[in-house]
Amino acid sequence: ALVGVISFPPQNYPLYIRSIPTENELKFHYTVHTSLDVVDEKISAMGKALVDQRELYLGLLYPTEDYKVYGYVTNSKVKFVMVVDSSNTALRDNEIRSMFRKLHNSYTDIMCNPFYNPGDRIHSRAFDTMVNSMMMQVC
Amino acid sequence: AADEALFLLLHNEMVAGLYRAAEQGEGENGRCTTKLESMGFRVGQGLIERFTKDTARFKDELDIMKFICKDFWTTVFKKQIDNLRTNHQGIYVLQDNKFRLLTQMSVGKQYLEHAPKYLAFTCGLIRGGLSNLGIKSIVTAEVSSMPACK
């Protein structure tokens, strides 16, 4: 299974990317970048009350043959994208939601870290540990 | 309450400390307000991330400003903004009639000329919070009679 975690501040460049296994990294990065467009679409759709406006979790963005992509956007416009192998059918919606919550919580902790400059790439070991354990659970 | 006093005292020491350092030649006086504002900015960014972690998504700019006036102000200053006015074209005036950081200073006009120093951090706080919510802003404050400020 391939799981990745990325967060993009408003300017849409990745603050953090992680994937296992690491062979298909390029294709994986590509999937993530295209999913950003879908995220933006969903957010602007909210303005027209087509989607439940209040939730931060965006749900399944779109399925490809190989992957399922999920999105989540915080109030501070940071986007989290998770790419999961399509073959992984055991993963349930509420599990994905709780993974995004963990990501959001860890990101909030990073923001409060005086050594972190907002907008920089994330180099936090605590964040890495959290992401690693999350990905272990999925694969 | 003790925890309110903590922030108040720390803030006042911060202001005093910066200006003392400036007098001893470590920086010009004019830059102190800028430093304070920048400090507030970074704190505001972190704070807003924490505060909006569990809130629902904001509908629009006005929604965000209401959040700042009610939840944000209450969490930081233990009271809400007393009055919010807007021209619906991007200008908002937040009025606090008993601004917590000024209440211990005076009632009326005494020390009025020093008030801006004690507002710089809070201006930055608001600017930082708004910035992370996707709003670019300029935040200024004015005091005509302590401890009320806009």
Side-chain angles (χ1 to χ4, degrees), chain A residues 46 53-56 58 73-77 101 104-105 107-109 111-113 116 118, chain B residues 42 45-59 63-64 131-134:
Chain A
M46 284 178 186
Q53 294 190 23
R54 314 296 269 167
E55 274 222 59
L56 301 180
L58 294 180
V73 182
T74 69
N75 266 322
S76 52
K77 315 286 189 267
R101 289 305 297 165
H104 193 174
N105 287 339
Y107 177 75
T108 308
D109 289 338
M111 267 308 258
C112 296
N113 186 336
Y116 175 70
Chain B
R42 181 63 183 90
Q45 285 183 304
L47 271 184
I48 210 81
E49 196 66 49
R50 231 176 240 300
F51 291 170
T52 58
K53 192 162 65 89
D54 301 305
T55 59
R57 194 180 297 287
F58 293 122
K59 287 200 296 274
D63 216 23
I64 294 181
S131 157
N132 262 38
L133 291 175

Side-chain angles (χ1 to χ4, degrees), chain A residues 1 27 31-32 37 43 46 53 62 94 125 128 135 139:
Chain A
K27 180 173 177 190
T31 310
V32 161
D37 290 331
I43 298 183
M46 284 178 186
Q53 294 190 23
Y62 68 97
N94 55 355
R125 274 185 234 168
D128 287 339
M135 300 212 287
C139 299

Side-chain angles (χ1 to χ4, degrees), chain A residues 41-139:
Chain A
E41 254 177 56
K42 287 225 171 188
I43 298 183
S44 54
M46 284 178 186
K48 306 172 187 93
L50 290 173
V51 184
D52 175 9
Q53 294 190 23
R54 314 296 269 167
E55 274 222 59
L56 301 180
Y57 175 60
L58 294 180
L60 182 61
L61 294 180
Y62 68 97
T64 68
E65 324 103 37
D66 306 309
Y67 304 125
K68 290 190 270 203
V69 185
Y70 298 90
Y72 181 101
V73 182
T74 69
N75 266 322
S76 52
K77 315 286 189 267
V78 176
K79 306 173 178 120
F80 295 105
V81 172
M82 234 191 284
V83 180
V84 179
D85 224 27
S86 276
S87 59
N88 191 334
T89 47
L91 211 53
R92 292 195 314 277
D93 201 56
N94 55 355
E95 282 171 340
I96 308 250
R97 271 174 205 265
S98 76
M99 290 204 281
F100 275 124
R101 289 305 297 165
K102 278 199 213 148
L103 279 176
H104 193 174
N105 287 339
S106 295
Y107 177 75
T108 308
D109 289 338
I110 288 184
M111 267 308 258
C112 296
N113 186 336
F115 296 108
Y116 175 70
N117 212 359
D120 287 352
R121 298 203 59 147
I122 294 177
H123 291 293
S124 150
R125 274 185 234 168
F127 200 77
D128 287 339
T129 313
M130 184 269 311
V131 171
N132 281 338
S133 65
M134 246 178 31
M135 300 212 287
M136 290 305 153
Q137 275 187 309
V138 177
C139 299

